[in-house]
């Protein structure tokens, strides 16, 4: 972890300690917070990608249960409904038969993927069969872990138990404010904040083996609101974290939201890389079954296949994906119209494989030559 990240986490610990100061019988004491202060992404002990690329089996596959959202957040293209209509993005829910086909495809790999992420562009709980999707994936054994990211507005005791009993391994909850008013202002959504917190508390108390992670962007919060975040959510989550705004969506100008030019999403120093590491270990499936090179492909300009007509394994090992990977390894990212303007690679990046680009290009080309000979 970077020194900047450590500094941010120390600051968060200080706020958390302030939030959990109690006065008992005239004496001040510090009550322990149940949750760890830890970002949703694993920053420590990460696999050295330069040692495993190219991967026969992806680490992470994102599958979008719904590419629509009930929120209209100012930082997110999906929430901009006029924009979605203008680009003619086919918004809707993933068909369950298509989802079953995707899971069957993943089971064709020689071993399970590490994470099946039921989330990409929209609010996954808008899909009424979300729990069935979790259950089917867990029963198939296609992934070691099934997780999701949600705004949690659609949680309720009945839905909570369905999702937990289906076997979800982890739920990442993204907060958009610390009051009903802030939700209206930032997300255009009418929310009963106390009921919202109560539903999250119910999920946590019945979570079983499901890990609960709650995060919020802190750039627009007062010190008092940050303290309230730890006070309210520090005891109903396994992990909590205060993030920073990041310009992660290519070609999308965030409304009234200005990211820092110095600090990234997890508090790390902003810096630039030429090679995107994500495209070597992950692939994303949109709600309509098309496969996107990147989980940030909101405009559908990075399509490398279609699960309705192709197998996942063929797409993962296919020419379209390989051509993109080789372009990056040749450090020509800046020549690509979409990848060139991606803020994910400055503000959010946990890995850097730039120093190994030439070696990895040779290795990738060698593997593809051998694969071509084996099927020729």
């Amino acid at each position: 972890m970077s020194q900047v990240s450590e500094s941010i986490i120390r600051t968060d610990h200080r706020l958390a300690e302030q939030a959990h100061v109690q006065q008992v019988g005239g004496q001040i004491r510090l009550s322990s917070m149940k949750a760890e202060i830890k970002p949703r992404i694993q920053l420590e002990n990460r696999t050295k990608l330069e040692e495993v690329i190219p991967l026969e089996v992806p680490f992470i596959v994102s599958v979008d249960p719904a590419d629509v959202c009930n929120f209209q957040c100012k930082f997110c293209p999906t929430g901009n409904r006029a924009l979605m209509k203008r680009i003619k993005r086919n918004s809707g829910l993933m068909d369950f038969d298509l989802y079953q086909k995707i899971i069957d495809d993943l089971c064709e790999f020689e071993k399970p993927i590490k994470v099946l992420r039921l989330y990409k562009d929209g609010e996954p709980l808008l899909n009424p069969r979300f729990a069935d999707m979790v259950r089917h994936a867990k029963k198939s054994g296609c992934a070691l872990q099934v997780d999701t990211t949600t705004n949690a507005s659609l949680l309720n005791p009945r839905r909570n138990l369905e999702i937990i009993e289906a076997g979800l391994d982890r739920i990442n909850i993204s907060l958009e404010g610390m009051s009903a008013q802030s939700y209206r202002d930032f997300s255009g959504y009418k929310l009963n904040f106390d009921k919202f917190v109560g539903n999250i508390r119910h999920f946590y108390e019945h979570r079983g083996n499901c890990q609960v992670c709650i995060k919020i962007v802190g750039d627009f919060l007062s010190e008092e609101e940050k303290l309230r975040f730890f006070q309210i959510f520090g005891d109903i989550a396994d992990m909590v974290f205060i993030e920073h705004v990041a310009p992660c969506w290519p070609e999308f100008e965030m409304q009234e939201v200005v990211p820092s030019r110095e600090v990234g999403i997890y508090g790390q120093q902003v810096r630039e890389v030429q090679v995107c590491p994500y495209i070597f270990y992950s692939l994303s499936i949109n709600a309509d079954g098309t496969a996107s090179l990147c989980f940030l492909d909101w405009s559908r300009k990075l399509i490398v296949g279609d699960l309705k007509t192709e197998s996942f394994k063929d797409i993962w090992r296919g020419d379209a994906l390989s051509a993109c990977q080789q372009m990056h390894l040749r450090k020509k990212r800046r020549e690509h119209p979409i990848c060139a303007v991606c803020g994910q690679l400055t503000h959010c990046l946990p890995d850097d494989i730039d120093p190994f680009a030439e070696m990895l290009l040779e290795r990738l080309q060698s593997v593809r030559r051998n694969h071509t000979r084996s099927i020729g």
Side-chain angles (χ1 to χ4, degrees):
M1 187 181 299
S2 71
Q3 292 181 344
V4 176
S5 296
E6 292 175 352
S7 174
I8 295 294
I9 291 177
R10 282 198 298 272
T11 301
D12 286 349
H13 273 296
R14 175 183 57 78
L15 289 169
E17 288 172 357
Q18 291 179 28
H20 283 72
V21 169
Q22 297 180 345
Q23 186 167 345
V24 181
Q27 299 293 318
I28 300 295
R29 71 179 179 86
L30 180 67
S31 64
S32 61
M33 185 174 67
K34 292 180 181 178
E36 289 185 86
I37 298 176
K38 196 173 182 180
R40 52 189 159 145
I41 191 171
Q42 180 181 327
L43 294 176
E44 307 93 357
N45 303 316
R46 293 182 64 82
T47 299
K48 294 182 178 180
L49 295 176
E50 65 272 16
E51 296 179 359
V52 297
I53 293 173
L55 293 170
E56 282 292 305
V57 181
F59 286 165
I60 301 173
V61 174
S62 297
V63 176
D64 206 3
D67 68 356
V68 290
C69 190
N70 54 339
F71 282 17
Q72 299 180 68
C73 298
K74 297 176 181 179
F75 64 84
C76 178
T78 297
N80 189 324
R81 293 167 189 172
L83 174 62
M84 294 298 99
K85 186 176 181 179
R86 189 163 64 248
I87 68 170
K88 298 180 180 179
R89 195 174 95 182
N90 294 323
S91 298
L93 309 179
M94 175 170 281
D95 177 78
F96 196 74
D97 288 340
L98 173 59
Y99 176 75
Q100 289 179 305
K101 190 266 184 186
I102 294 168
I103 297 302
D104 290 344
D105 280 7
L106 292 178
C107 289
E108 293 179 356
F109 281 113
E110 294 73 17
K111 62 180 181 179
I113 64 173
K114 286 189 175 183
V115 179
L116 175 66
R117 182 149 295 149
L118 295 179
Y119 165 74
K120 182 179 177 282
D121 291 311
E123 169 48 49
L125 298 189
L126 283 172
N127 193 315
R129 301 204 65 178
F130 179 80
D132 293 332
M133 298 174 91
V134 174
R135 185 178 297 107
H136 183 64
K138 292 295 293 184
K139 184 180 290 187
S140 76
C142 71
L144 299 178
Q145 177 176 305
V146 179
D147 72 19
T148 193
T149 296
T150 173
N151 61 37
S153 64
L154 300 177
L155 292 179
N156 58 56
R158 179 188 60 80
R159 199 86 188 273
N160 292 348
L161 296 179
E162 285 179 353
I163 294 169
I164 293 165
E165 290 169 3
L168 188 69
D169 294 293
R170 176 168 169 167
I171 185 168
N172 300 303
I173 296 175
S174 297
L175 302 185
E176 308 304 342
M178 288 301 299
S179 68
Q181 184 62 51
S182 60
Y183 268 82
R184 280 195 295 272
D185 293 343
F186 191 75
S187 301
Y189 190 80
K190 186 177 180 180
L191 183 79
N192 182 323
F193 191 76
D194 291 338
K195 185 177 181 180
F196 172 72
V197 173
N199 287 332
I200 294 175
R201 178 178 289 107
H202 178 274
F203 192 104
Y204 175 76
E205 291 173 349
H206 295 82
R207 69 192 184 284
N209 295 322
C210 183
Q211 188 179 44
V212 178
C213 307
I214 303 177
K215 61 91 172 176
I216 192 169
V217 173
D219 299 56
F220 318 109
L221 299 180
S222 66
E223 289 297 295
E224 180 182 354
E225 287 175 315
K226 291 177 183 178
L227 289 173
R228 285 188 62 236
F229 169 71
F230 288 117
Q231 287 174 332
I232 294 174
F233 297 101
D235 287 333
I236 56 173
D238 299 296
M239 292 164 51
V240 291
F241 199 73
I242 298 178
E243 295 182 350
H244 292 272
V245 175
C248 55
W249 304 103
E251 295 190 308
F252 177 71
E253 186 175 346
M254 293 186 289
Q255 302 174 34
E256 304 173 33
V257 178
V258 181
S260 168
R261 295 186 178 183
E262 297 179 357
V263 179
I265 189 171
Y266 307 116
Q268 78 276 27
Q269 184 178 359
V270 170
R271 59 188 179 86
E272 188 84 26
V273 299
Q274 295 303 313
V275 184
C276 173
Y278 296 106
I279 61 176
F280 294 91
Y281 67 82
S282 66
L283 195 64
S284 298
I285 311 303
N286 301 305
D288 64 358
T290 53
S292 283
L293 175 70
C294 175
F295 60 96
L296 297 170
D297 183 27
W298 63 272
S299 59
R300 307 295 187 265
K301 293 180 179 178
L302 298 172
I303 301 299
V304 293
D306 191 336
L307 270 295
K308 293 189 295 294
T309 57
E310 301 173 82
S311 76
F312 192 101
K313 186 181 287 188
D314 285 345
I315 295 172
W316 179 249
R317 299 174 181 175
D319 293 339
L321 178 58
S322 179
C324 294
Q325 292 172 337
Q326 292 186 51
M327 177 267 293
H328 275 258
L329 291 174
R330 292 189 178 96
K331 296 189 176 181
K332 294 184 177 182
R333 177 174 74 85
R334 286 294 185 183
E335 298 177 17
H336 192 282
I338 307 300
C339 296
V341 294
C342 180
Q344 183 79 8
L345 300 185
T346 55
H347 283 69
C348 308
L349 198 67
D351 305 295
D352 181 1
I353 56 175
D354 278 13
F356 312 99
E358 185 176 352
M359 174 195 71
L360 291 175
L361 179 60
E362 293 177 0
R363 188 191 297 170
L364 179 63
Q365 291 174 334
S366 175
V367 169
R368 289 197 63 77
R369 284 195 297 270
N370 292 336
H371 176 68
T372 299
R373 283 197 292 266
S374 68
I375 62 176

